[in-house]
Amino acid sequence: MINSVRILRNEINTPTVNSLYFHWDVRVEPGQFVMTWVPGLSEIPMSLSLTGKEKCLTVKKYGDTSNALSNVKPGERIFFRGPYGKPFSKVRGKTLLVGGGSGMASLRPLIDQDASGVVAARSSDELLFKGLFPIDKIIVATDDGSEGIKGNIVDALREIELEKYEMIYVCGPERMIKSVVDFVAGRNINMELSLERNMKCGVGICDSCSIDGFQLCTDGPTFGLSTVLTMKEFGRTKLAESGKRIWFQ
Amino acid sequence: MINSVRILRNEINTPTVNSLYFHWDVRVEPGQFVMTWVPGLSEIPMSLSLTGKEKCLTVKKYGDTSNALSNVKPGERIFFRGPYGKPFSKVRGKTLLVGGGSGMASLRPLIDQDASGVVAARSSDELLFKGLFPIDKIIVATDDGSEGIKGNIVDALREIELEKYEMIYVCGPERMIKSVVDFVAGRNINMELSLERNMKCGVGICDSCSIDGFQLCTDGPTFGLSTVLTMKEFGRTKLAESGKRIWFQ
Amino acid sequence: MSISDISTSIGNINLSNPFILASGILDENGYTMKRILSEGASAAVTKSIGMEERNGYKPPIVAIDDPIFINAVGLPNPGILNVGEEIKTARESGKPVIGSIFGKDENEFIELAGKMEEYGVSAVELNLSCPHVKGFGSEIGGDPNLVRKIVKGVKGAISKPVWSKLSPNVTNLLDIANAASDSDALVLINTVRGMKIDIYSKKPVLSNKVGGLSGSSIKPVGIRSVYEVKSNMDIPVIGVGGIESGFDAVEYIMAGATAVQIGTAVWKYGRAVFSKVTNELLEFMGSEGYGKIEEFRGIALK
Amino acid sequence: MSISDISTSIGNINLSNPFILASGILDENGYTMKRILSEGASAAVTKSIGMEERNGYKPPIVAIDDPIFINAVGLPNPGILNVGEEIKTARESGKPVIGSIFGKDENEFIELAGKMEEYGVSAVELNLSCPHVKGFGSEIGGDPNLVRKIVKGVKGAISKPVWSKLSPNVTNLLDIANAASDSDALVLINTVRGMKIDIYSKKPVLSNKVGGLSGSSIKPVGIRSVYEVKSNMDIPVIGVGGIESGFDAVEYIMAGATAVQIGTAVWKYGRAVFSKVTNELLEFMGSEGYGKIEEFRGIALK
Ligand SMILES: Cc1cc2nc3c(=O)[nH]c(=O)nc-3n(C[C@H](O)[C@H](O)[C@H](O)COP(=O)(O)OP(=O)(O)OC[C@H]3O[C@@H](n4cnc5c(N)ncnc54)[C@H](O)[C@@H]3O)c2cc1C
Ligand SMILES: Cc1cc2nc3c(=O)[nH]c(=O)nc-3n(C[C@H](O)[C@H](O)[C@H](O)COP(=O)(O)OP(=O)(O)OC[C@H]3O[C@@H](n4cnc5c(N)ncnc54)[C@H](O)[C@@H]3O)c2cc1C
Ligand SMILES: Cc1cc2nc3c(=O)[nH]c(=O)nc-3n(C[C@H](O)[C@H](O)[C@H](O)COP(=O)(O)O)c2cc1C
Ligand SMILES: Cc1cc2nc3c(=O)[nH]c(=O)nc-3n(C[C@H](O)[C@H](O)[C@H](O)COP(=O)(O)O)c2cc1C
Ligand code: FES
Ligand code: FES
């Protein structure tokens, strides 16, 4: 079933990211996503960046579809199906949220008094949701050094004692996640990672999002670190839209 | 869905009537029926003659299908779908059960300490379930006078003060019911009648059981006396298997 | 907010709402049709009537496994000469009654249509889905030449509108629709050929073994058929297949349907389905701000 | 009670159970096929592969309204030259991999089949349901002459078994099945043409508008197709369409199927569907006292 709901407000978060707020009376857990249809264009996976009574999609403008979606005006409708996917595990205790690019969208519902954040972006004005953390609980990194640490997300993680967190949640493009996984491999830490791959069906039948025989859309998008460490395809190879195998450089 | 259950025992009630006992864990109310399929032959409506945990079909042998059904042996399966139809209303107080032919089958689940019975048949050995009533609560009538009143069901009803019953339940062939309705018309009594007509679908779409635009299989088979009194087709005309209109003589 | 107008018309036939009782469902007995028309259907199509009286198939005539619904009734009918009284009774409702007919060739269809016109039907619906002896396993409605002949023949013989009801069990629906393009309207679709086997009795459930799948399972086939025809031809289409709600009807109307028919949903909701779907249609039009059906008819074709 | 034997074989291909992964579902990536084979499928059919790399249609590629499931994936595939590695990975499971192919004519099918044979598939499955330009709106599988040519051509060109997968969207399935009778097995059925319109966006949901209906809605069509073919022809048939339980599989087997394929049910039950249906089949055979599948294969045909 396709849900069609009207947008309450459209908030500009960064020059390339908007958030669409709406009411949708369905139980959603942090880490889950919806397949969002922009009629006439395409259908793309979007995490829920709020999971309470008020829901939110936080959209980074990549191509036609995400651009059109980010332009939906209050009172207009968005169309989506879901929620889909395996949510992040809930834990008691201190947590660390590590987000790159639009990755902070799916981590946002996990922000609470026990959570610290690591937010990375190309430059200062693209840092997403950093203002939602208390100033003493956030580390930022920018490629161009315009704010925080000059460097990538791993450079930021080096500054932190990761072992002290009950759980570290990570979300971002596969390349970024790969660098995080390589960085922590062999250490004794609890980590869940939300992966990103092409998605077409969203319901575990088309194989376009698969990684090592797991479907990101149903077995994931969140996976435990130990599972990710067993994946031969992770960070190395995936299938293009056609199904042709391509290698990450 | 077709239920297939194994028969526990097959009881001979009269020379032409057998009862098949079985377990079927579904809630059924007195007056409801199932469409009983005899693979290779046909599918016929059968009332539940027990509606507790143990269920029962009481089958009069008319033609091939009912004959085959009445021959099912313990351990063999019967096939049916349902339960279908509107049950008899429940009342508190004295009740009278009036059954002709196989009609007593659907009335049997209503037999309790408040119930009296009027059972009619051609001759003594065809009187169905009369033994389930205490001897002082049963009136019988036989066409041939071999037991009880010599005459038909209306002859028996003449002997009774019908107004004293909280509800009178009647079941039998349309011709018999018509004579009962004509007999009580205009009097101030509570009566529900379970009608019989050809049935093919059992679920209110094929029109073969209809009477005055009501479907016997979904609006009935039980109807209140006042509704039956409004029916222009009742006791006068019905459609044959083909849909051709025929008149009762 | 003023209430929306849900009336529609197919040629010169005016309907108070778009919901017509489909052929074969509660339309054998004139009293039944009359009751359904009084309870909300805007018109009723009779059971398909042939030349001779037929008993149809022995029960089981339905194989049901919610939401799967398959029937093989076997065209029981009293024969054209015995159906006049039923139509007369149904017409006491004051609403249009459509006479459905089936035959083995052009000549039978013409004779049946003429009789239906005599009985005062508002239109004749040609049921082109009866078995066709040549090319066994398929239906008259799968042969474009036969369809063309039957439609032309009936159109030439009567003055009432002629609707052609087509089968989805064909390789190329557009070929058939084009062959039937002389019709005043096309009715899409009849049932999809299917079967149910009971694994405990190890037998096909229907006495005829093969039957027609109807109800919600075939709505996508019906929508596709209406859309395909309306994308390519300019002819009124009446949508049928799996309509259970006013919203389902909207889907058909957006695909280009002028009106719709309802059959199997009567099994789920009883005769009350007609007031249910009418309320749902009004609800949709109210909340979306539509005043008339024309405002969204065929809108998905653009 | 001893456990029943659920193995079966199609020609020289031995299967540990009758449940094969259908073409187009989780069979693009070799690692995925390998995992599903390790989790209970007895064989896997690859996504249909053509001559050139294709991206398929833009999303939405599925229109879902439980239990309605319609897809228009648009035959995305890496092209035959890029698929060898995936098949190699899948074959590491030790179970049979079947190569599905689609082409625009006989010559393409022959070339594709030859490549598949090189890659070591256990059989080649001809997907005859791709769009056919002549007679628009219909499929290659609707043209008996084309079907005959393709099947004969491929049979003459390779030594591995050839399975022909037929479309139910035809006027007369038996004509097509007869045209494909040189095949080592028939696979029945592919999806049924359908469409879904979203009434709030007023548009067909699928980017390709028309798609293929699959899942429980089409099981009656699949059963009917298998029964119809097995009543008339002596050829192994693999049943597919709406199988969600071991009991559904029994229905196909009683209609005459040698094995079955499962597609859409993966959506409802995930990859675990294969162990689920296997357990259900064993449960049925145990409770009904069957030791082997042959004891009830085709029993409903009698
Ligand atoms: C489970 C899941 C959850 C997601 N949640 C969100 C979310 O909450 N917010 C959000 O903004 N995005 C999210 N994404 C990513 C989002 O789906 C894509 O950004 C979207 O598909 C882009 O579609 P498009 O048609 O606009 O761009 P396209 O036309 O597909 O792409 C335009 C350009 O951007 C590049 N591009 C596309 N997507 C990405 C990406 N993810 N990372 C880097 N480059 C990219 C393409 O390679 C191309 O060069 C999620 C993805 C997944 C798998
Ligand atoms: C709602 C409902 C509940 C029913 N419950 C029961 C029940 O619990 N027990 C039961 O035995 N029957 C019951 N019947 C009647 C039963 O359905 C028929 O007896 C049955 O259809 C006969 O089928 P057949 O194929 O054996 O006989 P057929 O071959 O149809 O008929 C053989 C001969 O018997 C005659 N005949 C058939 N049915 C009747 C009848 N009901 N009355 C008089 N003559 C008849 C026929 O006209 C024919 O001459 C019920 C009917 C209805 C509508
Ligand atoms: C029990 C039954 C009997 C039918 N009989 C006829 C018929 O006689 N003539 C006809 O044209 N269509 C007949 N149909 C087909 C319906 O009119 C309709 O086209 C089909 O069922 C799809 O609509 P639905 O899903 O609303 O039922 C019959 C359908 C059913 C279920
Ligand atoms: C998403 C999807 C993609 C499919 N792709 C193909 C395909 O590439 N080749 C093919 O022969 N069949 C394809 N099919 C059809 C299936 O193999 C199968 O015949 C059909 O779905 C019916 O089986 P089911 O109900 O178990 O899914 C596809 C089906 C689905 C749902
Ligand atoms: S998106 Fe299709 S399997 Fe995950
Ligand atoms: S038996 Fe079909 S309507 Fe009652």
Side-chain angles (χ1 to χ4, degrees):
Chain A
M1 213 202 66
I2 294 173
N3 302 283
S4 32
V5 304
R6 295 189 195 277
I7 290 303
L8 301 172
R9 48 187 200 287
N10 181 331
E11 179 182 276
I12 298 175
N13 302 113
T14 78
T16 59
V17 176
N18 289 40
S19 284
L20 313 176
Y21 292 82
F22 55 97
H23 282 304
W24 180 41
D25 200 11
V26 160
R27 191 190 165 95
V28 177
E29 305 279 348
Q32 292 192 295
F33 66 96
V34 291
M35 292 297 292
T36 314
W37 177 36
V38 181
L41 293 170
S42 188
E43 194 188 33
I44 56 178
M46 283 285 142
S47 302
L48 277 305
S49 62
L50 279 182
T51 55
K53 214 181 155 179
E54 185 166 270
K55 305 285 194 298
C56 185
L57 299 183
T58 297
V59 187
K60 176 147 180 157
K61 302 170 198 175
Y62 285 109
D64 289 352
T65 310
S66 49
N67 266 287
L69 187 61
S70 71
N71 275 331
V72 174
K73 293 187 187 29
E76 291 179 350
R77 280 190 169 117
I78 57 169
F79 303 90
F80 57 85
R81 56 193 172 91
Y84 294 134
K86 208 168 107 275
F88 288 114
S89 310
K90 281 196 195 109
V91 298
R92 283 166 184 278
K94 286 188 168 184
T95 61
L96 182 67
L97 315 183
V98 180
S102 61
M104 274 312 295
S106 77
L107 298 176
R108 181 189 180 191
L110 296 168
I111 299 177
D112 62 15
Q113 68 219 27
D114 292 323
S116 303
V118 176
V119 180
R122 230 164 330 199
S123 69
S124 173
D125 61 357
E126 298 211 330
L127 290 164
L128 187 60
F129 293 143
K130 66 160 203 235
L132 299 178
F133 293 91
I135 234 140
D136 58 333
K137 286 194 161 177
I138 172 98
I139 295 185
V140 306
T142 53
D143 292 343
D144 65 1
S146 52
E147 189 173 339
I149 295 164
K150 179 168 165 40
N152 63 21
I153 220 150
V154 171
D155 295 321
L157 291 181
R158 277 189 233 288
E159 314 276 305
I160 304 173
E161 191 200 333
L162 301 177
E163 280 76 2
K164 78 176 182 203
Y165 293 98
E166 208 53 56
M167 183 62 84
I168 303 171
Y169 301 100
V170 184
C171 185
E174 189 154 333
R175 201 103 60 93
M176 176 208 109
I177 295 199
K178 170 80 170 139
S179 65
V180 171
V181 167
D182 289 346
F183 176 67
V184 302
R187 286 168 66 175
N188 184 26
I189 57 178
N190 295 324
M191 183 179 274
E192 285 185 352
L193 310 102
S194 179
L195 308 184
E196 255 185 60
R197 289 215 154 183
N198 282 341
M199 282 191 182
K200 289 184 180 178
C201 75
V203 295
I205 61 146
C206 78
D207 211 16
S208 65
C209 69
S210 296
I211 182 162
D212 272 60
F214 294 110
Q215 284 64 60
L216 222 82
C217 59
T218 51
D219 297 311
T222 67
F223 292 94
L225 177 60
S226 58
T227 305
V228 174
L229 283 168
T230 66
M231 292 178 174
K232 293 187 201 138
E233 288 192 271
F234 175 69
R236 293 183 51 237
T237 169
K238 65 172 180 176
L239 301 193
E241 223 176 309
S242 65
K244 182 171 169 177
R245 191 166 290 279
I246 49 180
W247 280 262
F248 293 95
Q249 289 88 14
Chain B
M1 214 201 66
I2 294 174
N3 303 283
S4 32
V5 304
R6 295 189 195 277
I7 290 304
L8 301 173
R9 49 186 199 288
N10 181 332
E11 176 183 279
I12 298 173
N13 302 113
T14 79
T16 58
V17 176
N18 290 40
S19 285
L20 312 176
Y21 292 81
F22 55 97
H23 282 304
W24 180 40
D25 199 13
V26 160
R27 191 190 164 95
V28 177
E29 304 278 346
Q32 291 191 296
F33 66 95
V34 290
M35 292 298 291
T36 313
W37 177 35
V38 181
L41 292 171
S42 187
E43 194 188 34
I44 56 178
M46 282 286 141
S47 301
L48 277 305
S49 63
L50 278 182
T51 55
K53 216 182 152 181
E54 185 167 88
K55 305 283 192 299
C56 185
L57 299 183
T58 297
V59 187
K60 175 145 182 158
K61 303 170 198 174
Y62 285 109
D64 290 351
T65 310
S66 48
N67 266 288
L69 187 62
S70 71
N71 275 331
V72 175
K73 295 189 184 26
E76 291 179 348
R77 281 191 169 116
I78 57 170
F79 303 91
F80 57 85
R81 56 194 172 91
Y84 294 133
K86 210 169 105 275
F88 288 114
S89 311
K90 282 196 193 107
V91 297
R92 280 167 186 279
K94 286 189 167 184
T95 60
L96 183 66
L97 314 183
V98 181
S102 60
M104 273 313 293
S106 78
L107 299 176
R108 180 187 179 194
L110 296 168
I111 299 177
D112 62 13
Q113 68 219 27
D114 293 323
S116 304
V118 177
V119 180
R122 233 167 326 204
S123 69
S124 173
D125 60 359
E126 298 212 332
L127 291 164
L128 187 60
F129 294 142
K130 65 159 204 233
L132 299 178
F133 294 90
I135 236 143
D136 58 333
K137 287 194 161 178
I138 172 96
I139 296 186
V140 307
T142 52
D143 292 345
D144 65 3
S146 50
E147 189 173 340
I149 296 164
K150 180 169 169 32
N152 63 21
I153 220 151
V154 171
D155 296 322
L157 291 181
R158 277 190 234 286
E159 313 276 304
I160 304 173
E161 191 199 336
L162 300 177
E163 280 76 0
K164 78 174 181 205
Y165 292 98
E166 208 53 56
M167 183 63 83
I168 303 173
Y169 301 101
V170 185
C171 184
E174 189 154 333
R175 201 106 58 95
M176 175 208 110
I177 295 200
K178 170 81 171 140
S179 66
V180 172
V181 167
D182 288 346
F183 176 67
V184 303
R187 287 168 63 175
N188 183 26
I189 56 178
N190 295 325
M191 183 178 273
E192 285 184 352
L193 309 102
S194 179
L195 308 184
E196 255 185 59
R197 288 214 154 184
N198 282 340
M199 282 192 183
K200 290 184 180 177
C201 74
V203 295
I205 61 148
C206 77
D207 211 15
S208 65
C209 70
S210 296
I211 181 162
D212 272 61
F214 294 110
Q215 283 65 60
L216 222 81
C217 59
T218 50
D219 297 313
T222 67
F223 292 93
L225 176 61
S226 58
T227 305
V228 174
L229 284 167
T230 67
M231 292 178 174
K232 292 186 201 138
E233 288 191 87
F234 174 71
R236 293 183 52 236
T237 168
K238 65 172 180 177
L239 302 193
E241 223 176 309
S242 66
K244 183 171 170 177
R245 191 166 290 279
I246 50 180
W247 279 262
F248 294 93
Q249 287 91 12
Chain C
M1 199 183 58
S2 70
I3 203 161
S4 310
D5 175 6
I6 58 168
S7 68
T8 186
S9 52
I10 307 159
N12 61 2
I13 303 172
N14 298 316
L15 302 175
S16 54
N17 67 53
F19 303 106
I20 304 172
L21 179 67
S23 179
I25 290 88
L26 294 188
D27 47 13
E28 205 169 73
N29 186 320
Y31 291 96
T32 310
M33 287 187 268
K34 190 172 159 188
R35 183 172 294 274
I36 291 194
L37 289 165
S38 82
E39 288 176 5
S42 63
V45 186
T46 67
K47 178 113 201 83
S48 294
I49 306 295
M51 300 293 288
E52 307 288 344
E53 181 177 359
R54 269 176 66 93
N55 281 341
Y57 302 132
K58 260 195 326 201
I61 57 153
V62 291
I64 306 177
D65 200 357
D66 192 3
I68 294 298
F69 194 105
I70 316 176
N71 87 85
V73 177
L75 294 167
N77 79 96
I80 188 72
L81 297 179
N82 292 314
V83 82
E85 276 303 304
E86 308 306 324
I87 290 173
K88 192 172 150 198
T89 305
R91 288 182 60 217
E92 289 168 6
S93 64
K95 292 187 174 175
V97 173
I98 319 299
S100 173
I101 57 177
F102 73 94
K104 69 171 193 302
D105 57 26
E106 186 193 347
N107 294 331
E108 283 198 6
F109 272 100
I110 290 174
E111 194 172 334
L112 292 162
K115 276 283 168 205
M116 281 292 183
E117 189 164 39
E118 275 177 34
Y119 296 151
V121 297
S122 299
V124 170
E125 185 175 292
L126 311 179
N127 176 358
L128 298 168
S129 309
C130 32
H132 178 27
V133 196
K134 221 175 100 220
F136 62 111
S138 65
E139 301 153 3
I140 285 183
D143 180 339
N145 294 325
L146 207 46
V147 167
R148 184 170 291 107
K149 262 202 227 158
I150 292 168
V151 173
K152 271 209 169 13
V154 174
K155 271 302 287 178
I158 66 170
S159 59
K160 290 281 164 167
V162 176
W163 300 354
S164 292
K165 182 163 178 187
L166 304 186
S167 165
N169 303 301
V170 296
T171 307
N172 194 332
L173 179 63
L174 285 176
D175 283 353
I176 310 293
N178 276 312
S181 61
D182 278 350
S183 314
D184 297 283
L186 300 180
V187 182
L188 303 169
I189 55 173
N190 216 308
T191 55
V192 174
R193 284 161 59 79
M195 180 189 267
K196 166 85 192 158
I197 291 170
D198 177 71
I199 62 173
Y200 296 99
S201 61
K202 310 173 204 94
K203 287 200 164 35
V205 173
L206 296 168
S207 73
N208 187 53
K209 297 177 180 172
V210 173
L213 180 63
S214 62
S216 57
S217 319
I218 67 165
K219 193 184 72 172
V221 183
I223 297 286
R224 183 265 293 174
S225 301
V226 172
Y227 193 96
E228 213 162 69
V229 166
K230 290 298 289 186
S231 303
N232 289 281
M233 292 172 66
D234 185 22
I235 187 168
V237 167
I238 296 156
V240 50
I243 297 172
E244 295 188 343
S245 73
F247 312 104
D248 293 333
V250 170
E251 204 177 329
Y252 271 98
I253 294 168
M254 287 187 169
T258 301
V260 297
Q261 297 180 354
I262 292 183
T264 305
V266 171
W267 154 60
K268 271 204 192 144
Y269 299 101
R271 297 182 308 268
V273 70
F274 287 96
S275 54
K276 177 183 113 76
V277 293
T278 299
N279 290 337
E280 287 162 340
L281 176 61
L282 285 167
E283 179 193 325
F284 173 80
M285 290 175 67
S287 78
E288 299 298 300
Y290 290 118
K292 292 166 159 242
I293 284 178
E294 290 75 48
E295 294 164 21
F296 58 93
R297 177 174 300 136
I299 201 166
L301 295 162
K302 279 152 204 162
Chain D
M1 202 181 59
S2 68
I3 203 162
S4 310
D5 175 7
I6 59 169
S7 68
T8 187
S9 52
I10 307 159
N12 61 2
I13 303 172
N14 298 316
L15 302 175
S16 54
N17 67 53
F19 303 106
I20 304 172
L21 178 68
S23 179
I25 290 89
L26 293 188
D27 47 13
E28 207 169 72
N29 187 321
Y31 292 96
T32 310
M33 286 188 267
K34 189 173 158 187
R35 185 174 293 275
I36 291 193
L37 289 165
S38 80
E39 288 176 4
S42 63
V45 186
T46 67
K47 179 110 200 86
S48 295
I49 306 295
M51 299 293 287
E52 307 288 342
E53 182 177 359
R54 269 176 66 94
N55 282 339
Y57 302 131
K58 260 196 327 202
I61 57 152
V62 291
I64 306 177
D65 200 355
D66 192 3
I68 295 298
F69 193 104
I70 317 177
N71 87 84
V73 177
L75 295 168
N77 80 96
I80 188 71
L81 297 179
N82 292 312
V83 83
E85 276 303 304
E86 307 307 323
I87 291 174
K88 191 173 150 197
T89 305
R91 287 182 60 215
E92 289 168 6
S93 64
K95 292 186 173 174
V97 173
I98 319 299
S100 172
I101 57 176
F102 73 94
K104 69 171 194 304
D105 57 27
E106 187 192 344
N107 294 331
E108 284 198 4
F109 272 100
I110 290 173
E111 194 174 333
L112 291 161
K115 276 281 169 207
M116 281 292 184
E117 189 164 38
E118 274 176 36
Y119 296 149
V121 297
S122 300
V124 169
E125 184 176 291
L126 312 178
N127 176 357
L128 298 168
S129 308
C130 32
H132 179 26
V133 196
K134 219 175 102 224
F136 62 110
S138 64
E139 302 152 2
I140 285 183
D143 180 340
N145 295 325
L146 208 44
V147 167
R148 184 170 292 108
K149 260 201 226 159
I150 292 168
V151 173
K152 270 207 170 14
V154 175
K155 271 302 288 178
I158 66 169
S159 59
K160 290 279 164 168
V162 176
W163 300 356
S164 292
K165 183 163 178 186
L166 304 186
S167 165
N169 303 299
V170 296
T171 307
N172 193 330
L173 178 63
L174 285 175
D175 284 353
I176 309 293
N178 276 313
S181 61
D182 279 349
S183 314
D184 297 284
L186 299 180
V187 182
L188 302 169
I189 57 176
N190 216 308
T191 55
V192 175
R193 284 161 58 78
M195 181 189 266
K196 166 83 191 158
I197 292 170
D198 176 71
I199 62 174
Y200 296 99
S201 61
K202 309 171 203 93
K203 288 201 162 37
V205 173
L206 296 168
S207 73
N208 187 53
K209 296 177 180 171
V210 173
L213 180 62
S214 62
S216 57
S217 318
I218 67 165
K219 193 184 72 173
V221 182
I223 297 286
R224 183 265 293 173
S225 301
V226 172
Y227 193 96
E228 214 162 69
V229 166
K230 289 299 289 186
S231 304
N232 288 281
M233 291 172 65
D234 185 23
I235 188 170
V237 166
I238 297 156
V240 50
I243 297 172
E244 295 187 343
S245 73
F247 312 104
D248 293 334
V250 170
E251 204 176 330
Y252 271 97
I253 294 169
M254 287 186 169
T258 301
V260 297
Q261 297 180 354
I262 292 185
T264 305
V266 172
W267 154 60
K268 271 202 192 143
Y269 298 102
R271 296 182 310 266
V273 71
F274 287 96
S275 55
K276 177 183 114 75
V277 293
T278 299
N279 290 337
E280 286 162 342
L281 177 61
L282 286 167
E283 177 193 326
F284 174 80
M285 290 176 65
S287 78
E288 299 298 300
Y290 290 119
K292 292 166 158 242
I293 284 178
E294 290 75 49
E295 294 165 20
F296 59 93
R297 175 174 302 135
I299 201 167
L301 295 160
K302 278 153 204 162

